């Protein structure tokens, strides 16, 4: 089971304006082949399907705990897309075309289908597919796949970072560069224990430190590249048998935190009357509030 906390992994800045084409690019980090929906579903199905959970508990604990973090990453990227959609249209009479900016957007589907919010698809509008899930049942093969998946995800984050300087996108990507780098190292260390092959000698891939990115540097300085969370108060503590020693990139000790990060508030999206969203008027709200209070 999963326990949900109504907070984002980090606090995202509240923008004065959005960027509809940056939102389209960031979609790749959500629903692309190497996006957060892929990392989540790969690890989720691998953890559900894991054989010999008791015998190989540290490896199961590692995949299961990272699964829980990936749920939060899907939430974080989606909220970044939502904030990047702020102020891209305006309210008004339908005949003045209040959604007119949408026709020139890279992803018109944002304006047509989801009232300018995140979609389960990539930067070109293709829907995410379960074909992106790899769960072979072979521990070493799955760990090697996960290492590659995280490296591919890091590459795409670096490229989207260079495509937009919007502060919301940069903040989100900076954080995920650090956390993704942590997951790369975690899978490398797991493979070292399972096979004796030291993949940490290959890192970082691409050959550029997170500290070179302004938006990632502050998360590096907080030590987030050295931490893995159990995402549970009592379970998955076996990750400590894998996540130990020092970080080969900075020489600092690795640490397991039992629980979750503090996180930040979830953005409260404004009404968009030009999108008929949420479609609840002031009078509707007053009637709903009255019904909610009945019987209390």
């Amino acid at each position: 089971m999963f326990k949900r906390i109504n907070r984002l992994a980090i606090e995202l800045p509240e923008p004065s304006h959005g960027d509809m084409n940056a939102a389209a690019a960031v979609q790749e980090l959500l629903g692309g082949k190497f996006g957060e929906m892929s990392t989540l579903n790969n690890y989720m199905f691998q953890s559900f399907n894991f054989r010999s959970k008791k015998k190989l508990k540290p490896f199961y604990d590692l995949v299961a705990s990272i699964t829980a973090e990936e749920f939060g990453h899907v939430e974080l990227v989606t909220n970044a897309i939502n904030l990047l959609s702020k102020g891209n249209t305006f309210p008004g009479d339908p005949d003045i075309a209040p959604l007119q900016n949408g026709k020139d957007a890279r992803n018109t589907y944002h304006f047509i289908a989801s009232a300018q919010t995140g979609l389960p698809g990539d930067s070109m509008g293709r829907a995410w597919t379960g074909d992106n899930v790899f769960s072979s049942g072979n521990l070493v093969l799955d760990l090697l796949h996960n290492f590659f998946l995280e490296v591919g995800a890091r590459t795409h984050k670096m490229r989207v970072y260079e495509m937009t300087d919007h502060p919301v996108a940069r903040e989100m990507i900076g954080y995920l560069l650090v956390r993704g780098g942590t997951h790369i190292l975690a899978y490398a260390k797991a493979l070292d224990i399972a096979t004796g092959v030291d993949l940490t000698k290959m890192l970082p891939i691409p050959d550029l430190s997170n500290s070179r990115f302004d938006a990632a540097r502050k998360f590096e300085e907080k030590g987030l590249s050295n931490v893995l969370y159990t995402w549970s108060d009592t379970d998955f503590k076996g990750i400590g048998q894998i996540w130990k020693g020092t970080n080969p990139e900075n020489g600092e000790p690795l640490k397991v935190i039992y629980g979750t990060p503090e996180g930040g508030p979830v953005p409260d999206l404004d009404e968009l009357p030009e999108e008929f969203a949420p479609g609840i008027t002031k009078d509707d709200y007053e009637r709903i509030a009255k019904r909610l209070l009945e019987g209390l």
Side-chain angles (χ1 to χ4, degrees), residues 1-10 68-69 71-73 75-76 79 229-233 258-267:
M1 295 186 292
F2 295 90
K3 181 179 180 181
R4 181 162 182 167
I5 301 170
N6 192 29
R7 291 179 70 78
L8 290 185
I10 59 169
E69 179 164 2
F71 267 103
H73 290 183
E75 182 182 33
L76 182 66
N79 275 275
Y229 301 93
T230 60
W231 297 91
S232 170
D233 296 331
Y258 302 122
T260 65
E262 180 181 350
V266 177

Side-chain angles (χ1 to χ4, degrees), residues 51-65:
R51 296 184 183 274
S52 299
K53 291 182 178 69
K54 294 179 180 178
K55 186 177 180 180
L56 298 170
K57 186 177 185 298
F59 298 98
Y60 167 68
D61 284 3
L62 181 72
V63 176
S65 61

Side-chain angles (χ1 to χ4, degrees), residues 280-296:
I280 302 295
T281 67
K282 180 181 178 182
D283 290 340
D284 292 331
Y285 176 77
E286 290 176 352
R287 286 193 293 269
I288 290 170
K290 183 178 179 180
R291 294 187 193 114
L292 288 172
L293 292 172
E294 286 177 357
L296 294 182

Side-chain angles (χ1 to χ4, degrees), residues 217-236:
R217 190 177 303 118
K218 64 180 178 182
F219 297 114
E220 287 282 344
E221 292 172 350
K222 290 180 179 179
L224 292 184
S225 59
N226 307 319
V227 172
L228 275 185
Y229 301 93
T230 60
W231 297 91
S232 170
D233 296 331
T234 57
D235 298 319
F236 309 120

Side-chain angles (χ1 to χ4, degrees), residues 1-274:
M1 295 186 292
F2 295 90
K3 181 179 180 181
R4 181 162 182 167
I5 301 170
N6 192 29
R7 291 179 70 78
L8 290 185
I10 59 169
E11 183 173 2
L12 292 173
E14 184 67 34
S16 58
H17 62 86
D19 183 332
M20 60 191 179
N21 290 330
V26 169
Q27 277 286 160
E28 190 67 29
L29 307 184
L30 177 61
K33 184 176 181 179
F34 292 93
E36 300 300 332
M37 290 186 65
S38 288
T39 51
L40 164 63
N41 282 281
N42 272 270
Y43 309 156
M44 183 171 66
F45 277 95
Q46 288 174 16
S47 66
F48 291 167
N49 299 336
F50 200 101
R51 296 184 183 274
S52 299
K53 291 182 178 69
K54 294 179 180 178
K55 186 177 180 180
L56 298 170
K57 186 177 185 298
F59 298 98
Y60 167 68
D61 284 3
L62 181 72
V63 176
S65 61
I66 294 178
T67 297
E69 179 164 2
E70 295 296 345
F71 267 103
H73 290 183
V74 170
E75 182 182 33
L76 182 66
V77 179
T78 302
N79 275 275
I81 292 168
N82 296 344
L83 291 174
L84 286 167
S85 301
K86 180 178 180 179
N88 294 335
T89 57
F90 53 89
D93 186 279
D95 288 326
I96 66 172
L99 301 182
Q100 60 190 259
N101 291 338
K103 67 181 173 58
D104 297 320
R106 281 193 56 245
N107 192 337
T108 57
Y109 207 46
H110 274 154
F111 297 81
I112 297 170
S114 66
Q116 301 176 64
T117 53
L119 291 161
D122 67 13
S123 60
M124 299 304 292
R126 291 182 291 260
W128 186 86
T129 170
D131 290 340
N132 293 331
V133 173
F134 185 89
S135 179
S136 73
N138 181 282
L139 176 60
V140 173
L141 182 54
D142 284 347
L143 291 173
L144 188 59
H145 170 271
N146 296 351
F147 176 83
F148 169 73
L149 180 61
E150 289 284 358
V151 169
R154 182 173 191 264
T155 304
H156 286 192
K157 290 182 181 75
M158 292 166 70
R159 289 171 177 169
V160 175
Y161 186 100
E162 293 182 333
M163 291 172 69
T164 174
D165 61 359
H166 196 284
V168 172
R170 286 278 176 96
E171 186 79 359
M172 178 271 294
I173 297 172
Y175 174 77
L176 290 185
L177 279 174
V178 174
R179 295 308 298 159
T182 306
H183 295 168
I184 293 170
L185 178 58
Y187 287 126
K189 292 180 76 65
L191 283 162
D192 188 3
I193 291 173
T195 68
V197 176
D198 186 4
L199 294 182
T200 64
K201 294 180 180 180
M202 300 172 61
L203 302 178
I205 305 172
D207 188 16
L208 187 67
S209 170
N210 286 333
S211 62
R212 293 284 300 277
F213 297 83
D214 285 345
R217 190 177 303 118
K218 64 180 178 182
F219 297 114
E220 287 282 344
E221 292 172 350
K222 290 180 179 179
L224 292 184
S225 59
N226 307 319
V227 172
L228 275 185
Y229 301 93
T230 60
W231 297 91
S232 170
D233 296 331
T234 57
D235 298 319
F236 309 120
K237 294 182 179 180
I239 63 175
Q241 293 176 260
I242 295 174
W243 191 249
K244 58 187 179 182
T246 58
N247 188 320
E249 288 195 57
N250 57 35
E252 296 176 0
L254 300 177
K255 181 181 180 181
V256 175
I257 293 181
Y258 302 122
T260 65
E262 180 181 350
V266 177
D268 188 6
L269 300 183
D270 295 333
E271 296 180 6
L272 275 186
E274 66 270 29

